[in-house]
Amino acid sequence: MEPDDSINVLGGTLTPCSTEPLTGFFRDGHCNTCTADQGSHTVCAVMTDEFLAFSKYVGNDLSTPRPEFGFAGLKAGDQWCLCAGRFLQAHDEGCAPKVNLSATHKRALDIVPLRALEEQAL
């Protein structure tokens, strides 16, 4: 799998999202993507308690540790490469997390309007 060009939604070079916890479709700390990334893990989001509760409610529990997968669970303040569709869903429900635009891949724009990302920008 070869990643798409590392360009952010602002047209610049994609900056790191998080190495602690290590995130990204490629687990390289960046919200890089490729055609195999069916979830489009492209939005660098800063977790909040509200968003984590919402995500768990809709079936994607990001806060519970899963040691068998090397996943410690996320907490408020952690940055994570979030699926673009989940971000848009949370945005539409009024509980979207903040977004690091420089670390959000331009492919997020295939799903999420730039305006929605900018509304939640750090």
Side-chain angles (χ1 to χ4, degrees), residues 2-18 23-26 28-37 39-45 79-85 87 98-118:
E2 187 68 28
D4 291 356
D5 291 340
S6 297
I7 306 296
N8 65 37
V9 294
L10 304 173
T13 301
L14 190 69
T15 62
C17 182
S18 176
T23 191
F25 180 76
F26 293 98
D28 62 0
H30 292 75
C31 296
N32 283 308
T33 191
C34 66
T35 55
D37 180 10
S40 187
H41 296 79
T42 52
V43 177
C44 182
Q79 291 197 155
W80 191 251
C81 293
L82 188 60
C83 292
F87 172 84
K98 291 294 184 188
V99 174
N100 179 340
L101 294 177
S102 66
T104 296
H105 198 281
K106 70 177 182 175
R107 289 285 305 277
L109 298 174
D110 292 348
I111 298 168
V112 182
L114 181 58
R115 173 195 49 76
L117 294 168
E118 289 174 333

Side-chain angles (χ1 to χ4, degrees), residues 36-102:
D37 180 10
Q38 297 296 312
S40 187
H41 296 79
T42 52
V43 177
C44 182
V46 180
M47 298 295 104
T48 63
D49 289 331
E50 181 182 30
F51 173 76
L52 289 168
F54 169 78
S55 188
K56 186 174 184 177
Y57 175 75
V58 296
N60 188 21
D61 183 359
L62 296 172
S63 55
T64 300
R66 299 290 307 266
E68 67 272 27
F69 299 116
F71 181 68
L74 300 176
K75 62 187 180 317
D78 287 342
Q79 291 197 155
W80 191 251
C81 293
L82 188 60
C83 292
R86 179 70 74 216
F87 172 84
L88 184 59
Q89 182 184 22
H91 177 270
D92 291 347
E93 294 294 327
C95 58
K98 291 294 184 188
V99 174
N100 179 340
L101 294 177
S102 66

